[in-house]
PDB file of all heavy atoms in Angstrom:
ATOM      1  N   ARG X 138      13.885 -90.898-232.856  1.00 95.00           N
ATOM      2  CA  ARG X 138      13.685 -90.337-231.516  1.00 95.00           C
ATOM      3  C   ARG X 138      12.401 -89.521-231.459  1.00 95.00           C
ATOM      4  O   ARG X 138      11.573 -89.673-230.571  1.00 95.00           O
ATOM      5  CB  ARG X 138      14.878 -89.432-231.183  1.00 95.00           C
ATOM      6  CG  ARG X 138      15.106 -89.265-229.697  1.00 95.00           C
ATOM      7  CD  ARG X 138      16.285 -88.343-229.437  1.00 95.00           C
ATOM      8  NE  ARG X 138      17.466 -88.677-230.214  1.00 95.00           N
ATOM      9  CZ  ARG X 138      18.371 -87.816-230.629  1.00 95.00           C
ATOM     10  NH1 ARG X 138      18.257 -86.539-230.343  1.00 95.00           N
ATOM     11  NH2 ARG X 138      19.404 -88.208-231.328  1.00 95.00           N
ATOM     12  N   GLU X 139      12.206 -88.650-232.455  1.00 96.00           N
ATOM     13  CA  GLU X 139      11.033 -87.764-232.399  1.00 96.00           C
ATOM     14  C   GLU X 139       9.733 -88.560-232.490  1.00 96.00           C
ATOM     15  O   GLU X 139       8.775 -88.287-231.760  1.00 96.00           O
ATOM     16  CB  GLU X 139      11.085 -86.721-233.514  1.00 96.00           C
ATOM     17  CG  GLU X 139      10.939 -87.287-234.908  1.00 96.00           C
ATOM     18  CD  GLU X 139      10.899 -86.228-235.991  1.00 96.00           C
ATOM     19  OE1 GLU X 139      10.954 -85.037-235.665  1.00 96.00           O
ATOM     20  OE2 GLU X 139      10.816 -86.612-237.173  1.00 96.00           O
ATOM     21  N   ILE X 140       9.703 -89.575-233.322  1.00 97.00           N
ATOM     22  CA  ILE X 140       8.449 -90.305-233.504  1.00 97.00           C
ATOM     23  C   ILE X 140       8.126 -91.129-232.257  1.00 97.00           C
ATOM     24  O   ILE X 140       6.967 -91.247-231.838  1.00 97.00           O
ATOM     25  CB  ILE X 140       8.494 -91.171-234.789  1.00 97.00           C
ATOM     26  CG1 ILE X 140       7.069 -91.420-235.280  1.00 97.00           C
ATOM     27  CG2 ILE X 140       9.256 -92.470-234.602  1.00 97.00           C
ATOM     28  CD1 ILE X 140       6.974 -91.869-236.709  1.00 97.00           C
ATOM     29  N   LEU X 141       9.158 -91.654-231.638  1.00 96.00           N
ATOM     30  CA  LEU X 141       8.960 -92.428-230.412  1.00 96.00           C
ATOM     31  C   LEU X 141       8.462 -91.528-229.272  1.00 96.00           C
ATOM     32  O   LEU X 141       7.553 -91.887-228.520  1.00 96.00           O
ATOM     33  CB  LEU X 141      10.286 -93.085-230.020  1.00 96.00           C
ATOM     34  CG  LEU X 141      10.188 -94.218-229.034  1.00 96.00           C
ATOM     35  CD1 LEU X 141       9.607 -95.461-229.683  1.00 96.00           C
ATOM     36  CD2 LEU X 141      11.557 -94.547-228.461  1.00 96.00           C
ATOM     37  N   LEU X 142       9.043 -90.337-229.179  1.00 96.00           N
ATOM     38  CA  LEU X 142       8.635 -89.407-228.122  1.00 96.00           C
ATOM     39  C   LEU X 142       7.196 -88.945-228.320  1.00 96.00           C
ATOM     40  O   LEU X 142       6.413 -88.874-227.370  1.00 96.00           O
ATOM     41  CB  LEU X 142       9.563 -88.184-228.107  1.00 96.00           C
ATOM     42  CG  LEU X 142      11.016 -88.438-227.709  1.00 96.00           C
ATOM     43  CD1 LEU X 142      11.861 -87.191-227.915  1.00 96.00           C
ATOM     44  CD2 LEU X 142      11.098 -88.875-226.250  1.00 96.00           C
ATOM     45  N   LEU X 143       6.859 -88.647-229.565  1.00 96.00           N
ATOM     46  CA  LEU X 143       5.497 -88.153-229.822  1.00 96.00           C
ATOM     47  C   LEU X 143       4.460 -89.230-229.518  1.00 96.00           C
ATOM     48  O   LEU X 143       3.385 -88.934-228.991  1.00 96.00           O
ATOM     49  CB  LEU X 143       5.367 -87.684-231.279  1.00 96.00           C
ATOM     50  CG  LEU X 143       6.166 -86.428-231.640  1.00 96.00           C
ATOM     51  CD1 LEU X 143       6.039 -86.116-233.123  1.00 96.00           C
ATOM     52  CD2 LEU X 143       5.722 -85.226-230.816  1.00 96.00           C
ATOM     53  N   ARG X 144       4.791 -90.466-229.846  1.00 96.00           N
ATOM     54  CA  ARG X 144       3.834 -91.541-229.607  1.00 96.00           C
ATOM     55  C   ARG X 144       3.828 -91.982-228.136  1.00 96.00           C
ATOM     56  O   ARG X 144       2.780 -92.032-227.496  1.00 96.00           O
ATOM     57  CB  ARG X 144       4.160 -92.734-230.517  1.00 96.00           C
ATOM     58  CG  ARG X 144       3.340 -93.984-230.272  1.00 96.00           C
ATOM     59  CD  ARG X 144       1.859 -93.752-230.536  1.00 96.00           C
ATOM     60  NE  ARG X 144       1.032 -94.735-229.865  1.00 96.00           N
ATOM     61  CZ  ARG X 144      -0.259 -94.608-229.642  1.00 96.00           C
ATOM     62  NH1 ARG X 144      -0.896 -93.530-230.032  1.00 96.00           N
ATOM     63  NH2 ARG X 144      -0.926 -95.550-229.030  1.00 96.00           N
ATOM     64  N   GLU X 145       4.974 -92.304-227.630  1.00 94.00           N
ATOM     65  CA  GLU X 145       5.032 -92.944-226.312  1.00 94.00           C
ATOM     66  C   GLU X 145       4.939 -91.957-225.161  1.00 94.00           C
ATOM     67  O   GLU X 145       4.384 -92.273-224.127  1.00 94.00           O
ATOM     68  CB  GLU X 145       6.332 -93.751-226.168  1.00 94.00           C
ATOM     69  CG  GLU X 145       6.443 -94.929-227.117  1.00 94.00           C
ATOM     70  CD  GLU X 145       5.582 -96.113-226.699  1.00 94.00           C
ATOM     71  OE1 GLU X 145       4.636 -95.930-225.920  1.00 94.00           O
ATOM     72  OE2 GLU X 145       5.861 -97.226-227.178  1.00 94.00           O
ATOM     73  N   MET X 146       5.489 -90.775-225.330  1.00 91.00           N
ATOM     74  CA  MET X 146       5.486 -89.842-224.196  1.00 91.00           C
ATOM     75  C   MET X 146       4.381 -88.806-224.325  1.00 91.00           C
ATOM     76  O   MET X 146       3.833 -88.368-223.322  1.00 91.00           O
ATOM     77  CB  MET X 146       6.842 -89.175-224.060  1.00 91.00           C
ATOM     78  CG  MET X 146       7.891 -90.191-223.658  1.00 91.00           C
ATOM     79  SD  MET X 146       9.432 -89.410-223.290  1.00 91.00           S
ATOM     80  CE  MET X 146      10.411 -90.816-222.860  1.00 91.00           C
ATOM     81  N   GLN X 147       4.068 -88.388-225.527  1.00 92.00           N
ATOM     82  CA  GLN X 147       2.992 -87.408-225.692  1.00 92.00           C
ATOM     83  C   GLN X 147       1.663 -88.088-226.001  1.00 92.00           C
ATOM     84  O   GLN X 147       0.623 -87.431-226.005  1.00 92.00           O
ATOM     85  CB  GLN X 147       3.328 -86.403-226.801  1.00 92.00           C
ATOM     86  CG  GLN X 147       4.698 -85.756-226.683  1.00 92.00           C
ATOM     87  CD  GLN X 147       4.925 -85.103-225.328  1.00 92.00           C
ATOM     88  OE1 GLN X 147       3.986 -84.609-224.698  1.00 92.00           O
ATOM     89  NE2 GLN X 147       6.155 -85.127-224.843  1.00 92.00           N
ATOM     90  N   GLY X 148       1.694 -89.363-226.292  1.00 93.00           N
ATOM     91  CA  GLY X 148       0.458 -90.109-226.542  1.00 93.00           C
ATOM     92  C   GLY X 148      -0.284 -89.695-227.801  1.00 93.00           C
ATOM     93  O   GLY X 148      -1.502 -89.833-227.882  1.00 93.00           O
ATOM     94  N   MET X 149       0.440 -89.181-228.784  1.00 95.00           N
ATOM     95  CA  MET X 149      -0.238 -88.730-230.009  1.00 95.00           C
ATOM     96  C   MET X 149      -0.654 -89.914-230.876  1.00 95.00           C
ATOM     97  O   MET X 149       0.042 -90.916-230.955  1.00 95.00           O
ATOM     98  CB  MET X 149       0.680 -87.791-230.798  1.00 95.00           C
ATOM     99  CG  MET X 149       0.802 -86.419-230.153  1.00 95.00           C
ATOM    100  SD  MET X 149       2.084 -85.379-230.898  1.00 95.00           S
ATOM    101  CE  MET X 149       1.345 -84.973-232.453  1.00 95.00           C
ATOM    102  N   GLU X 150      -1.812 -89.774-231.528  1.00 96.00           N
ATOM    103  CA  GLU X 150      -2.298 -90.804-232.452  1.00 96.00           C
ATOM    104  C   GLU X 150      -1.496 -90.738-233.749  1.00 96.00           C
ATOM    105  O   GLU X 150      -0.879 -89.711-234.053  1.00 96.00           O
ATOM    106  CB  GLU X 150      -3.780 -90.586-232.756  1.00 96.00           C
ATOM    107  CG  GLU X 150      -4.689 -90.635-231.544  1.00 96.00           C
ATOM    108  CD  GLU X 150      -4.739 -92.015-230.887  1.00 96.00           C
ATOM    109  OE1 GLU X 150      -4.485 -93.003-231.587  1.00 96.00           O
ATOM    110  OE2 GLU X 150      -5.001 -92.082-229.681  1.00 96.00           O
ATOM    111  N   TYR X 151      -1.568 -91.820-234.539  1.00 96.00           N
ATOM    112  CA  TYR X 151      -0.806 -91.869-235.791  1.00 96.00           C
ATOM    113  C   TYR X 151      -1.164 -90.702-236.733  1.00 96.00           C
ATOM    114  O   TYR X 151      -0.296 -90.124-237.387  1.00 96.00           O
ATOM    115  CB  TYR X 151      -1.050 -93.201-236.513  1.00 96.00           C
ATOM    116  CG  TYR X 151      -0.286 -94.386-235.938  1.00 96.00           C
ATOM    117  CD1 TYR X 151       0.156 -94.396-234.623  1.00 96.00           C
ATOM    118  CD2 TYR X 151      -0.011 -95.500-236.720  1.00 96.00           C
ATOM    119  CE1 TYR X 151       0.836 -95.483-234.093  1.00 96.00           C
ATOM    120  CE2 TYR X 151       0.675 -96.595-236.209  1.00 96.00           C
ATOM    121  CZ  TYR X 151       1.097 -96.577-234.890  1.00 96.00           C
ATOM    122  OH  TYR X 151       1.783 -97.655-234.382  1.00 96.00           O
ATOM    123  N   ASP X 152      -2.457 -90.387-236.798  1.00 94.00           N
ATOM    124  CA  ASP X 152      -2.895 -89.300-237.687  1.00 94.00           C
ATOM    125  C   ASP X 152      -2.258 -87.973-237.281  1.00 94.00           C
ATOM    126  O   ASP X 152      -1.820 -87.190-238.123  1.00 94.00           O
ATOM    127  CB  ASP X 152      -4.421 -89.139-237.635  1.00 94.00           C
ATOM    128  CG  ASP X 152      -5.117 -90.247-238.382  1.00 94.00           C
ATOM    129  OD1 ASP X 152      -4.498 -90.801-239.302  1.00 94.00           O
ATOM    130  OD2 ASP X 152      -6.276 -90.550-238.051  1.00 94.00           O
TER     131      ASP X 152
END
Side-chain angles (χ1 to χ4, degrees):
Chain X
R138 204 181 312 150
E139 67 176 358
I140 204 162
L141 197 73
L142 294 172
L143 292 176
R144 174 63 201 163
E145 295 284 20
M146 293 187 180
Q147 309 306 328
M149 286 170 72
E150 300 295 335
Y151 282 24
D152 286 334

